[in-house]
Every structure is written in C-alpha cells, then in structure tokens.
Amino acid sequence: MESQNLKHRSRDDPRFTTTTSNEKNRANRREKRMAMAKRGLRSLVIAVSFPLSLTLLNIYLFGSGRGYASLAKPFWFPPLWLLHTGCLASSFLMGLSAWFVWVEGGFHVKPTALSLYLGYLGLSMAWHPTVLWMGDSWAGLLVNLAMVGTLVGCSRDFRKVNPIAGNSVMPCLAWAAFLATVNLKLVFL
C-alpha cells in the first residue's frame, strides 16, 4: 500500500532534480568547446573570405580582359571565365592553407610565412590587371614568376608548421605555373 502513496519522479520536477559537480563540469566543458568552435569557424570564414573578396574585387574592376580578348591566342589558351575561376580557386586554397598555419600558431613561429603569403596576395592582385586589362605580357610574366617564387616559399614554410597547409599550396603552384606558361606564350605572340 505504501507504494501507492509514492509519487512518480519526473525529470522536469525541480524538487527531484539533483545536479552533481560532475554534471556541471561537463556542461562547462561543453560550453567552452562550443565557444572555441564558434571562434574557429569565424576565423576560418574571415581567412577564406578576405582573399576571395580581394580576388572578386580585382575581377570586377579589371576582369573585362580587354587586353587579353584582343590577342590572337592558340587553341589551348583558357577562356576568360576559366582564368577567373582558377584565380578564385587559388585564392580560396591559399586562404584555407593560411588559416591552417594561423591555427597552429605558425605565423608567430615562422614570420616569413606571413610575409610570403601577403606577398603572394599582392602579386596575384597585380597579375590580373597587368595581363588581362593592360595587356602587358612582359610585366605579367615577371609578376607571375615572382608569384611562383612566393608560392614555393609558402609551401615550404607552411609545410613546416602544418603539412596539410603546405600541400594545399601545391594546386595554387600548379595554377601559377600554368599562368606562367600562358604568359610566356603571350610574350612571343
């Protein structure tokens, strides 16, 4: 009979809930991890969107390709939209690999990595208007060769901090080498 007088315990009933310090610690750890994940995601968005927005602005301002479009080109030359897409993909990968290095604290450990990355950004922003808008193939070739050099340095320094970051630079290096080939052909047209 006594069991009939007992009330059913409910999870929602505040009289019967007990929290232990173990549960509180677990909740605090979960909140800290969530806060770190949000900061990490926010920094990733910034690291990738910064070079992408610079490249998009560069394409918008100088992407008409009036110098590039007026040239007689061989059949294997990429169309203008493919050049823009390749530059956007390269900017995305470089932003991602720079973020990998930043997360590991690599820009403090290897300050030359940041200099090389910023040098690459500047050179990639200079290549687009030089070749596609002004049509100056010689200057574009010099800018592109300097860009290849900064990418080799980025790959080397990034790999010392984070191997994934160093490997993420390789497609950008292949794209820059292809652009150097296009530039070289433009010089001798």
Side-chain angles (χ1 to χ4, degrees):
M1 287 290 181
E2 196 172 311
S3 64
Q4 291 178 351
N5 293 336
L6 291 176
K7 289 188 175 182
H8 185 267
R9 280 183 67 167
S10 170
R11 284 186 174 179
D12 300 331
D13 192 354
R15 294 176 298 167
F16 296 111
T17 58
T18 58
T19 57
T20 63
S21 63
N22 209 10
E23 290 173 354
K24 287 180 183 177
N25 287 339
R26 202 172 323 145
N28 282 339
R29 283 194 306 256
R30 189 175 333 124
E31 287 175 16
K32 286 179 184 178
R33 282 195 308 259
M34 287 298 290
M36 277 181 43
K38 286 180 183 177
R39 280 194 309 268
L41 188 58
R42 196 172 325 146
S43 66
L44 174 62
V45 168
I46 290 169
V48 170
S49 65
F50 177 68
L52 272 178
S53 61
L54 284 177
T55 304
L56 280 171
L57 179 67
N58 206 7
I59 289 170
Y60 177 74
L61 294 176
F62 307 109
S64 66
R66 69 175 186 191
Y68 184 77
S70 65
L71 295 171
K73 298 175 284 292
F75 73 94
W76 58 271
F77 265 45
L80 197 56
W81 65 267
L82 186 60
L83 284 175
H84 296 322
T85 306
C87 289
L88 284 169
S90 182
S91 292
F92 171 78
L93 283 173
M94 282 303 289
L96 183 65
S97 59
W99 180 76
F100 282 140
V101 172
W102 176 79
V103 165
E104 299 284 334
F107 289 133
H108 295 292
V109 176
K110 294 289 270 175
T112 56
L114 180 61
S115 302
L116 288 167
Y117 173 65
L118 293 175
Y120 162 77
L121 278 179
L123 289 167
S124 68
M125 295 301 115
W127 182 84
H128 225 83
T130 304
V131 174
L132 299 181
W133 197 57
M134 296 183 326
D136 192 353
S137 301
W138 278 105
L141 182 61
L142 293 175
V143 167
N144 199 291
L145 291 176
M147 192 168 36
V148 168
T150 59
L151 284 170
V152 168
C154 279
S155 176
R156 184 192 67 227
D157 283 356
F158 285 10
R159 187 173 288 115
K160 289 178 183 174
V161 176
N162 185 328
I164 295 171
N167 290 337
S168 297
V169 176
M170 291 302 176
C172 304
L173 188 58
W175 177 250
F178 175 71
L179 290 180
T181 306
V182 168
N183 254 341
L184 191 61
K185 186 64 178 169
L186 285 175
V187 166
F188 294 114
L189 276 180

